[in-house]
Amino acid sequence: MKRSPMPRKSVDSLTPYTEEPHAPLNLADNTNLFEPNPCFAEALAQVQPDMARSYPSLQSERFCEAAARAHGVKPGQVATGNGSNELIDLAIRVFAEPGERVAWHPPSFSMIEVFARAAGAQVHAVPLRQPGFTLDADGLLAARAKVTFVCRPNNPTGNSFPRAEVERVVRGLDGLVVVDEAYGDFVGDSFLPLVKDLPNLLVLRTMSKAQGLAALRIGYGIAQEPVIQNLLKVRGPFRLNALSELIGTRAFERPDHVERVVRETSQERDRLTLELRTRGMAVNPSDANFILFRPPTDAARLHAALERRGVAVRKFGDPGLRAWLRATVGPRWVTQRFLAELDDALREVGPSR
Ligand SMILES: Cc1ncc(COP(=O)(O)O)c(C=O)c1O
C-alpha cells in the first residue's frame, strides 16, 4: 500500500491559514464594509465574452502603467501579485536563501512567518514592545536580516509606527526591507516617495482593503527596477487575471472613492473607539480600518457570544493577544448593530472573574 508522500520538513509542521466562520455581520477580515470602487460594476458591464479565451497580459502591463502613474514611479518599478500576500512569499523566496534570516515584528500579519518557514528561512522575531505595541527599531537593525518586514499601519494592532523609526530601519540595513502598506490608504502618508532613494525598499499595496476589491486578488509591489526584475524572475506569468487587471486599472481613475472610504472610516473609527472605551474596553489607537480592543471580560467567551449573535470578530491564538479581539470598522449602521450585539453579548458573558 503506497503512503502519501511526505512534504518538506519546513512544510510538515505548518497549518493552513484559517478564517473566522462566516457570519451575517463579518467584522473579522478588515475588508471594506462601505462600497467597492464603482469601477467594479462599470467595468463588468463592458466585459465581452470574447475576453475569456485569451490569456491576460503577461506581467499585467496595463495595470502597472496605471499604478505607476498614480504613484509617480515608472511602470518597470511595479510588480503585481495574486493579492499582496503572494508578494510577501515572493520577496522571501527571492531575497533569502534557506537558512538565512527573515525578521518580522509579531504580532503582525501571520502569513509572513508561514511563508518564511516554508521557504526554509530562519525566522527572527523582534516582538513589538508594551505598552502600545511599539516598534523595536534597534532590535530589527540588530537582526541584520536578509529580508525584514515592517507593516504600517500594523495588522492586527492598528497603530502606525513613527515614520522616522521605520526609515531608520530601511536606511540602516543592507537587506531588503518590505514595508507592507496593505492599510496605507487609511494613514495617508506612504513610504512610496522614498523608493527612489532607497534601493533596498519594497513597498507593498493591495486593492483588498480601502478599494473594496478583495474578491479580485490584486496586490502590487513598488521598488527600484532591480528588485522588481528579480521578483519577476520567480513570479509566474499572468498573475492578475484579465478581469482583475481591467478593473484594477480602472480603480486608479477613481481616487475620490478611496478618499471617501478613508474619511468615513476615520469618523466611524473615532466613534467606535469612544463607544468601546465607555464599555470598559482598552482600545489600541488605530490608523487602519479596524480596531484592536481588550474587553473587560474573557475575550474567547465574548467572541463565542458574538458569534452566536451572527457577528464575527477576530480572536487570536498568540499568547500576547489572547485577551484581545479585532473588529473591522464599517459605516454607521454596522457600528450600531455591532454595539447592540456587543452589549447583549457582554450581558450574557458578565465581567471576568
Ligand atoms: C498586513 C497585511 N498584508 C497583506 C495582506 C494580504 O492582503 P491581500 O493578499 O488580500 O492583498 C493582508 C490581509 O489581510 C494584511 O492584513
Side-chain angles (χ1 to χ4, degrees), residues 64-202:
C64 292
E65 278 162 25
R69 256 195 313 278
H71 295 301
V73 297
K74 295 187 210 126
Q77 290 183 261
V78 186
T80 53
N82 185 250
S84 58
N85 74 68
E86 181 176 35
L87 292 156
I88 296 175
D89 182 25
L90 200 59
I92 295 168
R93 286 190 289 126
V94 170
F95 288 95
E97 298 279 1
E100 286 187 329
R101 204 170 257 192
V102 170
W104 73 311
H105 54 65
S108 190
F109 186 48
S110 58
M111 287 309 294
I112 298 167
E113 184 175 14
V114 172
F115 287 135
R117 283 175 53 192
Q122 180 202 336
V123 181
H124 186 92
V126 181
L128 297 181
R129 288 185 301 210
Q130 291 297 351
F133 301 104
T134 58
L135 188 72
D136 179 359
D138 290 322
L140 286 177
L141 284 165
R144 309 220 72 75
K146 270 306 182 71
V147 184
T148 301
F149 284 89
V150 179
C151 183
R152 187 176 184 271
N154 187 42
N155 175 22
T157 60
N159 52 317
S160 198
F161 308 126
R163 195 179 170 81
E165 285 292 273
V166 179
E167 195 173 327
R168 193 157 70 82
V169 171
V170 190
R171 288 190 188 276
L173 290 172
D174 295 327
L176 184 75
V177 180
V178 182
V179 176
D180 182 344
E181 294 189 349
Y183 304 93
D185 288 315
F186 296 101
V187 71
D189 82 309
S190 166
F191 269 67
L192 285 169
L194 288 186
V195 163
K196 65 176 179 335
D197 298 325
L198 298 171
N200 64 330
L201 173 63
L202 170 65

